[in-house]
Amino acid sequence: MTRTLSFHARLSWTLAAFLLVVIGALYFSVRLVTEAAVSRQAAERLDSGLRVFERLIDIRSRQLRDGVQVLVADFGFKEAVATGDTLTLQSAMANQAARINASEAMLIGLDGRVLASSLSNAVPGDTFRYAAELRDARGQGPTLLIVVLDQQAHLLVEAEVRAPLPIARVVMGFAMDEALAHELKELTGLDVSFLAKAEGNSEQLATTLKSEAHAELIDGWRRHEHANGIEELTLDGERYLNEDVVLSQGDGYSVIALAHSSLDDALAGFHQLDMRILLITLVGLIASLLGALMLARSLSGPVNALAQAAQRVGRGDYHTPIELDRDDELGSLAKALNQMQRGIAEREQLIAHNMLHDDVTGLPNRSLAAELLSRAVEAGRITAVLHIGIGNLDAVQDSGGSEGVDQALRELTQRLQAGLQPGDHLARMLSDEFLLIVSDTSADNAFSAAVAVQQALALPVRVAELEMRIEAHIGVAGYPDDAGSVDELLRRARIAMQDAAQMPDGLQLYQHGRDDAHQRQISLIRDLRHAANAGGLHLHFQPKVDLEHGRVYQAEALLRWNHPIYGMVSPGEFIPLAERTGSIQLLTAWVIEAVLRQLHIWNGRGLYMEVSLNISAEDLSSLTLEQRVTELLQRYVIPGDQLVFEITESAMMRDPERALTMLHRLRALGIRLSVDDFGTGFSSLAQLRRMPVQELKIDQSFIRELDDTCGDAVIVRSTIDMSHALGLKVVAEGVEHGETRDLLRAWGCDTLQGYFFSRPLPADAFEAWLKQQPHLAARPLKEPS
């Protein structure tokens, strides 16, 4: 009996010890797995929270950047900057800052000095503390900078004010304070801190943690002095996983963002589970080994499921539910994890939606519109864009306030959406601008859609018990006819919209050349009238070689323009602009006087030259050309036969009778006349015979690649024979090869001009070239008869 009891006792103790070891091992395994899973989950939540934080900062910075770009693009604001209207500047910046939720706004000069500011420590006239950092950030990409102002972290965005060159910089930003930290906590479920440190000041903390933990957090950060990944800290007796990110670090300052996930809170739900495991251990000791194994299995399975669920959440899978049909703590934890997954998914979806949609109308914003256009461009689909501008939202604002504007915009959105066809997209670009993307349609075909949109928007809207008409102007541009990229398409559609605002019907297709080239043309047209007084005009001379005598008797005067910004501008670019804008007569007058002045100098040196220059159609129609030339010939004591006026065929066709009269008057002064660019116009031989010309100049397009087998050879040879039959001398320009010279000499051409002999040279260089070409030397000054 004693042995039996002893055996049972030994067996009971053996079984109890075995079961205790198994249950104990299981208990500690579950505890370790749980803590590891919770730690991984906390770490993954930290990573997810930091991604959400970065997205929120990116959204806020984009909003600031878009707002600043709107401000610096405003013509009134530019004018206020240019004129130094401080009150208008401060008002405009304050209004725009309030509109985009910025807490500070500054205007900084190109030298870094503050011109206007809403900050107490940025006094107008002082150099802005971070002007150099802003300049460096602008050189590396988007001008976004996080700095320390008033011992607090601030996010700043900068944009240049151009008119059209940079004249100032607008800086706007917001404080990274406790309000932003709490907003991040609501989005991520994590505690967030911003640690700002400036040279000479103690660290300042903006955090969602309790005030008792502030000193310990700062002390922990000082021990590391830089971000060091995920670490565990004890703050106010509570364990936290912390992850640090350096937001900004510069000369004498740094800004650190810290995300905190409480391990104690995460493990709190497992305390009751620990007690339940101990109870199960006692029951297992009294029950059987099978019961203990079954109990262990019933516990280890759910824990593994929870651990796998935590891993899925860490990988970003928020949609696979945790299927754990239990009513105990593990079941509650599973439900909590499922709820957490749904919450994170909803918050990420909301963030993504807000990033790409307008909060008033619900329409896609500029970013999403650009993405939609990018897909169409990448697919190579023909796409038209209607840029719709609303011109009188200020009147709506005065009548119905901000709510009235929102109401009007929502009503306009409904009208526009009602007319959408399958595949079309509507977006809101700015406060008063919409974008309609019409798929598989060219800009010309989309013009009818613009008319329909204009009619839909023309109906009055009801705002604050008043009916108001909306003034809309629509610009249309298409891919690929008008633009080859998304940015170019959007820019050109907006240019067309701006042009539409000047049209009676408010509609305009994009006109090519209305962007950068147009701006360049505007600048050239503006400066062309003052080019002579500014010293930008110069004459170059290209020699003409007389084949009969082998001498240089003539030279052509060619105008050159050295623009103060664009440098040397091709005559092929500025001459048509001068002809189109009425400046050509100013240029011709300058050229005639400059040529006569140079001839006077050469005549004084015993060098007798005939110089040819071009006369435009506007010059021939001028009533004062003959008088001006007569006065200049007398002033510089130059005989008329030293001048050769080259007239194009097209110039004669504009007003043949008037031009012919002027040619006879010029010929009466002794000036020789030449038909320039012969063969490219449409004048008849009958008209050529009526003109009092002595010379015909074959266009270089027939000469440059001339040989005796090409089709141009027949034209050139026939032109030479015909001209000689009419008693005209023949000049061939564009001679670049010795073979071309030999052919033209064999065919009886009188004079050659081209790079084979010399490129156009300044007067001094031309004179030096003549001295270096003794076999081509010009004839001496004629003896007076």
Side-chain angles (χ1 to χ4, degrees):
M1 187 68 177
T2 303
R3 291 176 182 175
T4 302
L5 290 174
S6 299
F7 174 75
H8 281 291
R10 288 195 300 273
L11 182 59
S12 298
W13 280 107
T14 301
L15 292 174
F18 178 76
L19 189 57
L20 184 61
V21 170
V22 172
I23 297 299
L26 179 61
Y27 170 76
F28 288 108
S29 297
V30 171
R31 183 64 182 267
L32 291 175
V33 169
T34 301
E35 289 196 7
V38 171
S39 297
R40 285 196 300 273
Q41 177 186 337
E44 291 159 357
R45 287 182 63 199
L46 286 175
D47 289 335
S48 299
L50 286 175
R51 288 197 299 271
V52 172
F53 164 72
E54 291 172 352
R55 291 182 182 178
L56 178 62
I57 293 298
D58 184 59
I59 291 173
R60 295 288 296 273
S61 64
R62 287 187 182 183
Q63 291 174 344
L64 278 180
R65 189 178 296 114
D66 291 343
V68 174
Q69 290 294 342
V70 169
L71 180 60
V72 300
D74 183 78
F75 290 104
F77 183 77
K78 291 181 180 179
E79 183 178 359
V81 173
T83 59
D85 188 348
T86 305
L87 293 178
T88 301
L89 291 175
Q90 292 177 342
S91 174
M93 290 193 298
N95 291 338
Q96 187 68 358
R99 194 174 295 118
I100 61 176
N101 296 324
S103 58
E104 54 266 346
M106 289 178 287
L107 182 67
I108 301 176
L110 298 181
D111 58 355
R113 295 186 180 276
V114 177
L115 303 178
S117 171
S118 63
L119 290 175
S120 59
N121 64 345
V123 180
D126 291 347
T127 299
F128 183 52
R129 163 70 174 83
Y130 299 103
E133 284 83 350
L134 283 171
R135 183 178 60 252
D136 295 339
R138 184 168 66 257
Q140 299 172 1
T143 311
L144 169 66
L145 191 64
I146 297 177
V147 300
V148 178
L149 295 172
D150 293 335
Q151 301 185 26
Q152 191 175 44
H154 289 253
L155 185 145
L156 301 179
V157 170
E158 178 212 50
E160 289 184 336
V161 181
R162 291 176 169 267
L165 298 177
I167 59 174
R169 293 177 285 170
V170 173
V171 179
M172 288 191 180
F174 59 88
M176 303 176 73
D177 52 13
E178 292 188 0
L180 179 61
H182 282 286
E183 183 179 352
L184 288 171
K185 183 176 181 180
E186 291 177 2
L187 288 173
T188 62
L190 300 173
D191 285 297
V192 177
S193 301
F194 298 109
L195 191 61
K197 182 178 180 182
E199 185 175 1
N201 297 307
S202 59
E203 297 88 348
Q204 296 297 319
L205 189 67
T207 181
T208 59
L209 295 172
K210 294 182 291 186
S211 58
E212 292 80 3
H214 292 187
E216 294 178 350
L217 176 61
I218 293 176
D219 182 64
W221 179 80
R222 285 175 178 170
R223 291 197 301 270
H224 301 291
E225 294 185 353
H226 58 81
N228 198 25
I230 298 178
E231 296 183 358
E232 181 176 336
L233 290 177
T234 300
L235 304 175
D236 194 26
E238 188 173 355
R239 292 186 302 156
Y240 284 86
L241 277 184
N242 303 271
E243 185 166 4
D244 306 345
V245 175
V246 177
L247 297 180
S248 179
Q249 190 167 6
D251 185 15
Y253 73 93
S254 60
V255 178
I256 309 295
L258 306 97
H260 319 282
S261 180
S262 174
L263 290 176
D264 291 346
D265 288 345
L267 292 171
F270 291 92
H271 293 333
Q272 293 182 0
L273 179 61
D274 292 342
M275 300 300 296
R276 185 66 60 87
I277 293 175
L278 290 175
L279 179 61
I280 292 174
T281 302
L282 294 176
V283 173
L285 288 172
I286 299 172
S288 62
L289 181 61
L290 181 59
L293 294 174
M294 292 176 61
L295 180 61
R297 183 179 301 170
S298 68
L299 291 175
S300 61
V303 170
N304 288 332
L306 292 174
Q308 293 173 2
Q311 292 175 353
R312 287 200 305 272
V313 172
R315 291 193 298 266
D317 181 5
Y318 307 129
H319 303 289
T320 303
I322 304 172
E323 298 179 356
L324 194 60
D325 188 14
R326 297 176 66 102
D327 296 328
D328 57 6
E329 288 81 357
L330 290 177
S332 299
L333 180 59
K335 294 177 182 178
L337 287 175
N338 281 331
Q339 186 175 0
M340 182 191 72
Q341 285 186 161
R342 289 192 295 270
I344 294 176
E346 291 173 357
R347 284 191 291 270
E348 284 204 351
Q349 185 177 5
L350 179 61
I351 291 173
H353 184 274
N354 290 339
M355 287 176 60
L356 298 175
H357 291 80
D358 174 51
D359 56 351
V360 174
T361 63
L363 293 175
N365 59 14
R366 184 183 183 91
S367 299
L368 184 53
E371 182 178 342
L372 294 172
L373 283 174
S374 295
R375 296 174 188 171
V377 170
E378 290 172 0
R381 294 201 306 270
I382 297 175
T383 304
V385 169
L386 278 64
H387 203 123
I388 306 166
I390 309 300
N392 59 337
L393 276 187
D394 290 341
V396 178
Q397 173 84 26
D398 296 339
S399 301
S402 298
E403 182 57 35
V405 172
D406 293 346
Q407 177 185 344
L409 290 174
R410 284 190 286 267
E411 182 174 342
L412 295 178
T413 299
Q414 292 175 359
R415 295 183 191 176
L416 293 172
Q417 288 176 325
L420 292 182
Q421 301 296 321
D424 295 350
H425 300 282
L426 181 65
R428 186 184 180 195
M429 305 297 282
L430 295 173
S431 60
D432 57 352
E433 294 180 13
F434 293 86
L435 193 77
L436 178 58
I437 303 172
V438 184
S439 301
D440 302 319
T441 304
S442 66
D444 291 337
N445 293 333
F447 197 77
S448 59
V451 174
V453 169
Q454 183 76 290
Q455 293 173 349
L457 297 180
L459 298 175
V461 297
R462 193 167 187 82
V463 177
E465 306 302 325
L466 297 174
E467 286 192 347
M468 303 188 65
R469 289 191 175 274
I470 296 299
E471 299 174 0
H473 38 277
I474 305 172
V476 184
Y479 170 85
D481 293 339
D482 297 325
S485 66
V486 172
D487 290 340
E488 193 175 54
L489 181 60
L490 290 174
R491 185 177 70 253
R492 292 183 171 177
R494 194 166 195 278
I495 290 173
M497 180 202 68
Q498 293 171 346
D499 291 343
Q502 311 302 322
M503 297 296 174
D505 58 356
L507 300 173
Q508 179 65 40
L509 285 170
Y510 171 74
Q511 302 297 314
H512 288 276
R514 288 285 294 142
D515 45 8
D516 294 340
H518 179 68
Q519 295 303 320
R520 175 184 170 96
Q521 285 187 358
I522 291 175
S523 179
L524 292 179
I525 291 171
R526 181 192 62 216
D527 298 337
L528 195 55
R529 292 183 174 274
H530 311 288
N533 295 332
L537 298 181
H538 307 280
L539 280 185
H540 284 196
F541 297 87
Q542 188 173 33
K544 295 181 178 181
V545 178
D546 184 285
L547 289 179
E548 180 182 357
H549 302 93
R551 291 290 184 266
V552 176
Y553 297 150
Q554 294 183 2
E556 181 176 4
L558 299 170
L559 183 60
R560 297 292 184 264
W561 182 20
N562 188 4
H563 192 274
I565 297 176
Y566 302 118
M568 295 302 298
V569 183
S570 168
E573 181 178 6
F574 72 82
I575 293 297
L577 291 178
E579 292 176 340
R580 193 166 68 239
T581 59
S583 298
I584 190 64
Q585 294 189 39
L586 296 176
L587 296 184
T588 303
W590 185 91
V591 171
I592 293 175
E593 183 169 4
V595 167
L596 292 175
R597 186 186 306 115
Q598 186 61 51
L599 286 175
H600 180 76
I601 295 173
W602 281 340
N603 287 350
R605 295 176 183 171
L607 179 63
Y608 184 84
M609 293 289 298
E610 296 176 6
V611 176
S612 61
L613 55 96
N614 288 282
I615 300 296
S616 70
E618 285 76 10
D619 296 314
L620 290 179
S621 63
S622 172
L623 299 176
T624 61
L625 176 62
E626 176 194 5
Q627 180 181 354
R628 292 202 312 269
V629 173
T630 302
E631 292 175 354
L632 290 172
L633 289 173
Q634 293 174 354
R635 181 190 307 172
Y636 291 101
V637 195
I638 301 297
D641 59 3
Q642 277 192 264
L643 278 184
V644 179
F645 282 179
E646 297 184 0
I647 304 98
T648 61
E649 296 176 88
S650 58
M652 288 294 301
M653 292 177 64
R654 180 171 300 183
D655 189 348
E657 295 303 325
R658 189 169 185 175
L660 192 60
T661 300
M662 179 57 69
L663 292 181
H664 280 288
R665 291 179 179 178
L666 294 174
R667 182 64 189 136
L669 297 176
I671 297 173
R672 299 179 61 219
L673 302 176
S674 173
V675 178
D676 191 18
D677 297 339
F678 185 80
T680 62
F682 303 96
S683 62
S684 65
L685 290 176
Q687 183 182 23
L688 182 62
R689 292 182 62 185
R690 294 176 59 199
M691 296 169 60
V693 297
Q694 294 75 48
E695 181 180 278
L696 187 146
K697 195 171 188 180
I698 303 176
D699 186 68
Q700 58 185 336
S701 61
F702 297 97
I703 304 299
R704 193 169 279 130
E705 301 296 332
L706 184 66
D707 61 57
D708 57 0
T709 61
C710 68
D712 289 341
V714 177
I715 298 174
V716 172
R717 193 166 186 175
S718 299
T719 301
I720 294 173
D721 293 340
M722 178 199 68
S723 300
H724 287 164
L726 294 173
L728 303 178
K729 296 286 187 178
V730 180
V731 178
E733 64 176 340
V735 178
E736 298 183 356
H737 308 287
E739 295 82 357
T740 306
R741 175 201 58 188
D742 296 338
L743 277 176
L744 292 169
R745 177 189 287 132
W747 293 341
C749 186
D750 301 292
T751 305
L752 302 183
Q753 175 184 350
Y755 278 24
F756 176 76
F757 303 103
S758 172
R759 67 179 59 249
L761 300 170
D764 294 342
F766 176 80
E767 197 171 344
W769 179 85
L770 283 176
K771 294 178 181 179
Q772 295 172 2
Q773 310 290 329
H775 62 290
L776 295 178
R779 57 188 172 186
L781 184 65
K782 285 198 310 185
E783 295 294 336
S785 56

